[in-house]
Amino acid sequence: MLSLELQGNIKMFKAILYKEWLKVRWAYIAMLLVSLLVLVYIWMTVSKQIEFNEAKTMWSVIIFRKYKFFSDLQYIPLVIGFIVGIAQYAPEALQSRLKLTLHLPVKENKILIQMLFAGFVLIGLLFLFIEIFLTIITGIYFPSEIVSDMLTTIYPWILSGFAVYFAIGSIFVEPVWSRRITLIITSIALISILFTTGDFTFSALLLLTIVTFIIPFWTILTGYNFKRGIK
Amino acid sequence: MTISKLGRILVLVSIVFVLANYLPDFYWLKFDKPVSKPLIGYSPVLSQFLIGGKSADGFAWKDEAGRNYSRNEWELYLPASNYRQLLYENILPDSINGEKMDLDSLRLHRISLRVGPDVISSRWIQLFPLMESQSGRVRLTMLDDFFRIDENGITFIDSKTNENDAAKSKIFTDAMLKAGFNFPSKLIAGNPSTMKPFDEGYFVIDSDNKLFQLKMVKGKPFVKYTKNPEGVNIKFIMMMENNLRNFYGIAISTDNKIYYILYDDYKFLEMPIDKYDHTMNRFVYMGDYLVRNLIIENDTATANYATDRNNKLIKAIDYKFYDGSKDAAISAFNLIFPFSLSFEEPKSGVFDIFFNHSGIQSVWGLIISAVLAFIILRKRKAANGFNYFDVLIAAFTGIYGLIAIILIKNVE
């Protein structure tokens, strides 16, 4: 038996999810198409390279030279997170709609976190689609070792998509430019760590995941600053 | 604590994380100095080491007493490693210390090999090509299949179809089981390249720490238990097929010993070295007909153990090349930065969490940061209220926390 409060929360989240979807749907569909194009391009490139250079050569460069045949995908999650974030938050910021939202008799943190969570679910679905599609392509031509290497390699790229999205969502509420700039620089620095190319260990990936998922909670501070108009 | 204070702490944590990653980098971009590592070779003619390194007027050769040598002299005193130049100039001596300078021997013994900590710790996709080692052709060729070894045995996967070759897999698995191999494997080491004179396949350690050689001879499996010595826990094997056919390659143990794996019944021959740490030092083997130089390098010194062809130590040197030029920068670093955080490390082949504490020197920096935080917060008192927690942050994270609390003011 769900408590009444939880039921209310779920109802409210559904409403927010729908409202956020309406805002981002065109950007979202565009990003879905871009991802699809890049994935098909990667697919065609791999099949062409195997046809021209023999499969064993392709396997060898992947295994011994760490060639990443899917590297065209590297910045796609970042672009997705950025575009969806802008689509979701720019209207709020430009039309000062947020003031209205935050004057509702609900805690500002709750609304802001739920907005971020809605976007997280949406771009998360898109990333999941990319991962599944790429796993299928990779699995056609290569054995499971190469598939799991591909998944560990793209993991920090996927994190970068979440990181930029969370950063946009948290920073746009911040009313003071000096603090905004601090947070923008901090998030750019964080994201650039995710693009160091190499084999991350499990513990390194875990730490980067934790750090990425701290970003949405910056809104607790920035939302507070917004509501109080702290200079 | 209010929820908004918690939000601020999360922001501070993020800023400290980023600063601990980047500020040390910026510092070293400005203050790092190149330290050039010397080349050290044993001269069988002079019976001492010659050390080559950068000096005021370019590259210079010196002996242990500091006397200078020209490049030509160096070549003459290390004749076996420079035999090609001496031959070209027609000044190669007929014999040195009673050893005849015959061209075949000179050529065969000229082998070099290097293993750094980054190579040992790097990570590779565990798929391997098995070549035909007796094809009857001079050139080696790659076949279409790659193998993996897991608990079910060895599996060959055809790259053309990405499907398992069940028949071949069964033949090889059976051969390995018959040789006493206990699946899965702990280490597979080989030299998967066609740019080598011939193929010796792979050294594979099974789950009972037994070392096997695996290769393919005329399409059939060749699996042999090497009776590797018990008590030698192998960390890393570098295979290096060479025409000398004296050793297959080298094995490095977890307790930092280095062994030749000999053609003579796969015997492990321990090299007469000490002071080696496979997580920190680079090992270089520079062998020629007269001397095998076993070199252990770290950031400040190079040790060279000159041995003869029978692994007998002739002479050793521990040469400190670091001149202290970075000491001041390091001290200042430890004072300013209480710790640093990085995912990259030149000595590591993987990206891991590298947290370095600056040690006792950092205490002064932490105290200064705390005092500065105290003064700044006192000045801010009117607007944002004084809080001891921020002083604590600066006291524990030093410059990073200090910058963070200055940028992000306290909240109610």
Side-chain angles (χ1 to χ4, degrees):
Chain A
M1 193 56 189
L2 288 171
S3 75
L4 272 178
E5 199 196 333
L6 192 60
Q7 281 181 8
N9 276 344
I10 291 172
K11 213 172 165 188
M12 182 177 147
F13 178 66
K14 274 188 184 160
I16 287 184
L17 187 64
Y18 183 64
K19 177 177 147 274
E20 300 310 304
W21 164 248
L22 290 181
K23 269 194 288 178
V24 303
R25 60 188 162 172
W26 292 115
Y28 192 81
I29 290 165
M31 285 301 106
L32 178 66
L33 289 176
V34 168
S35 315
L36 200 60
L37 273 177
V38 173
L39 288 165
V40 170
Y41 176 76
I42 291 170
W43 190 358
M44 289 169 74
T45 314
V46 172
S47 100
K48 204 78 197 163
Q49 279 171 330
I50 286 176
E51 191 186 335
F52 273 68
N53 303 318
E54 288 189 283
K56 62 177 176 189
T57 317
M58 189 70 178
W59 286 36
S60 295
V61 291
I62 290 170
I63 296 167
F64 305 117
R65 307 238 161 129
K66 304 198 180 217
Y67 169 63
K68 308 294 179 195
F69 59 91
F70 45 87
S71 60
D72 289 317
L73 193 82
Q74 190 166 9
Y75 296 100
I76 298 299
L78 187 75
V79 173
I80 291 173
F82 186 79
I83 299 285
V84 173
I86 294 292
Q88 188 181 353
Y89 290 104
E92 303 272 358
L94 292 176
Q95 303 162 12
S96 307
R97 250 195 286 176
L98 193 73
K99 258 188 197 136
L100 198 71
T101 318
L102 293 188
H103 277 96
L104 294 173
V106 185
K107 276 248 161 94
E108 73 273 10
N109 295 326
K110 208 170 178 180
I111 291 194
L112 289 170
I113 293 281
Q114 290 206 353
M115 280 170 77
L116 275 172
F117 189 63
F120 165 73
V121 168
L122 291 175
I123 60 174
L125 284 172
L126 199 46
F127 293 164
L128 193 66
F129 163 75
I130 292 175
E131 282 182 350
I132 291 172
F133 198 113
L134 201 55
T135 302
I136 293 170
I137 301 172
T138 313
I140 293 173
Y141 299 103
F142 308 107
S144 56
E145 285 85 351
I146 294 179
V147 174
S148 64
D149 179 76
M150 177 278 290
L151 288 172
T152 9
T153 308
I154 67 168
Y155 182 73
W157 305 346
I158 298 279
L159 275 186
S160 80
F162 286 130
V164 73
Y165 171 76
F166 290 147
I168 289 173
S170 320
I171 294 168
F172 98 104
V173 231
E174 173 57 54
V176 180
W177 267 105
S178 67
R179 268 196 301 260
R180 257 190 201 178
I181 288 169
T182 302
L183 294 178
I184 288 172
I185 293 174
T186 306
S187 22
I188 291 174
L190 269 175
I191 289 163
S192 73
I193 294 172
L194 296 169
F195 285 106
T196 358
T197 33
D199 300 321
F200 283 100
T201 60
F202 177 75
S203 45
L205 287 177
L206 188 65
L207 179 62
L208 290 171
T209 310
I210 292 169
V211 172
T212 301
F213 283 88
I214 283 179
I215 304 176
F217 296 99
W218 292 359
T219 45
I220 299 175
L221 178 70
T222 54
Y224 170 88
N225 289 344
F226 181 86
K227 199 154 186 188
R228 305 291 178 291
I230 285 181
K231 292 273 148 39
Chain B
M1 195 195 315
T2 59
I3 185 93
S4 44
K5 277 190 195 295
L6 178 71
R8 174 173 178 264
I9 287 168
L10 292 174
V11 172
L12 295 180
V13 166
S14 307
I15 295 175
V16 169
F17 174 83
V18 160
L19 290 175
N21 248 290
Y22 283 92
L23 282 189
D25 276 6
F26 280 118
Y27 180 88
W28 286 121
L29 279 178
K30 177 73 184 116
F31 295 109
D32 205 4
K33 294 219 166 54
V35 177
S36 70
K37 288 183 178 169
L39 294 170
I40 302 179
Y42 180 75
S43 161
V45 180
L46 301 172
S47 298
Q48 63 166 320
F49 288 97
L50 290 187
I51 300 138
K54 274 188 193 148
S55 71
D57 39 323
F59 201 86
W61 292 95
K62 286 189 170 70
D63 64 13
E64 290 168 55
R67 270 188 301 273
N68 279 306
Y69 292 81
S70 69
R71 188 174 67 185
N72 289 347
E73 286 171 312
W74 166 70
E75 282 162 1
L76 273 173
Y77 293 143
L78 275 76
S81 60
N82 296 302
Y83 74 92
R84 291 183 62 224
Q85 180 64 30
L86 299 177
L87 207 63
Y88 179 73
E89 293 178 50
N90 240 333
I91 48 173
L92 183 70
D94 289 336
S95 69
I96 303 270
N97 302 346
E99 302 266 14
K100 208 170 157 292
M101 294 282 98
D102 112 88
L103 200 53
D104 282 341
S105 309
L106 286 168
R107 194 181 292 138
L108 284 175
H109 283 84
R110 192 81 180 94
I111 296 166
S112 65
L113 173 161
R114 52 207 74 214
V115 185
D118 54 330
V119 175
I120 294 175
S121 59
S122 58
R123 193 168 73 195
W124 297 94
I125 295 175
Q126 293 293 300
L127 290 169
F128 306 88
L130 189 63
M131 282 175 235
E132 171 55 57
S133 60
Q134 280 180 29
S135 63
R137 309 285 308 169
V138 174
R139 272 200 191 173
L140 293 169
T141 45
M142 287 270 234
L143 301 181
D144 280 316
D145 54 8
F146 290 71
F147 72 83
R148 79 160 66 97
I149 295 177
D150 56 22
E151 49 283 356
N152 303 321
I154 184 168
T155 309
F156 287 85
I157 309 147
D158 187 351
S159 63
K160 277 189 174 151
T161 57
N162 194 24
E163 272 167 20
N164 296 347
D165 182 339
K168 187 174 178 184
S169 303
K170 179 156 191 335
I171 293 170
F172 274 78
T173 303
D174 288 348
M176 288 172 81
L177 286 171
K178 206 178 151 205
F181 194 95
N182 199 357
F183 289 104
S185 64
K186 285 188 174 169
L187 181 92
I188 302 173
N191 190 5
S193 153
T194 53
M195 308 296 281
K196 56 185 183 184
F198 54 92
D199 178 63
E200 286 289 0
Y202 292 85
F203 277 113
V204 189
I205 299 177
D206 78 352
S207 53
D208 296 332
N209 292 321
K210 286 179 172 171
L211 181 69
F212 290 79
Q213 189 187 15
L214 164 72
K215 57 181 175 180
M216 180 155 62
V217 180
K218 298 195 191 307
K220 293 202 169 66
F222 170 99
V223 188
K224 196 153 185 204
Y225 172 43
T226 66
K227 302 192 199 79
N228 55 309
E230 258 180 59
V232 176
N233 210 338
I234 301 167
K235 170 76 191 168
F236 181 80
I237 290 176
M238 179 171 267
M239 255 190 120
M240 194 183 174
E241 289 94 341
N242 58 75
N243 281 319
L244 181 64
R245 292 188 198 245
N246 172 250
F247 54 90
Y248 291 99
I250 60 161
I252 295 174
S253 67
T254 46
D255 60 346
N256 296 309
K257 294 194 169 88
I258 308 178
Y259 302 87
Y260 295 103
I261 304 175
L262 297 179
Y263 270 77
D264 174 15
D265 204 21
Y266 302 104
K267 275 185 194 125
F268 270 47
L269 181 64
E270 188 183 334
M271 297 184 186
I273 53 148
D274 51 20
K275 292 183 197 159
Y276 173 61
D277 177 352
H278 69 264
T279 62
M280 300 297 290
N281 308 139
R282 190 164 82 132
F283 168 68
V284 182
Y285 172 93
M286 296 270 279
D288 61 44
Y289 185 44
L290 300 174
V291 188
R292 292 175 170 186
N293 293 287
L294 312 175
I295 299 164
I296 310 288
E297 290 177 349
N298 64 30
D299 295 334
T300 58
T302 298
N304 187 334
Y305 304 83
T307 62
D308 66 9
R309 290 197 295 275
N310 300 313
N311 196 37
K312 203 173 137 267
L313 186 68
I314 307 170
K315 200 175 183 190
I317 186 175
D318 193 359
Y319 182 80
K320 296 222 169 3
F321 56 83
Y322 173 63
D323 55 358
S325 59
K326 285 202 309 200
D327 283 358
I330 292 172
S331 291
F333 180 92
N334 291 340
L335 187 70
I336 301 169
F337 304 105
F339 56 87
S340 64
L341 181 70
S342 177
F343 291 94
E344 283 177 86
E345 224 290 319
K347 289 191 177 72
S348 172
V350 285
F351 286 27
D352 205 345
I353 305 166
F354 300 105
F355 180 86
N356 287 308
H357 197 274
S358 299
I360 197 77
Q361 272 177 299
S362 61
V363 169
W364 294 108
L366 291 173
I367 292 173
I368 295 167
S369 302
V371 170
L372 284 175
F374 189 81
I375 296 168
I376 291 164
L377 292 169
R378 280 284 289 273
K379 282 202 169 165
R380 271 189 189 169
K381 198 177 171 185
N384 298 83
F386 186 85
N387 69 331
Y388 286 100
F389 191 70
D390 279 13
V391 179
L392 270 179
I393 291 176
F396 277 102
T397 61
I399 188 169
Y400 310 127
L402 182 65
I403 293 175
I405 60 166
I406 291 173
L407 290 171
I408 307 294
K409 285 178 192 165
N410 193 22
V411 287
E412 299 277 308

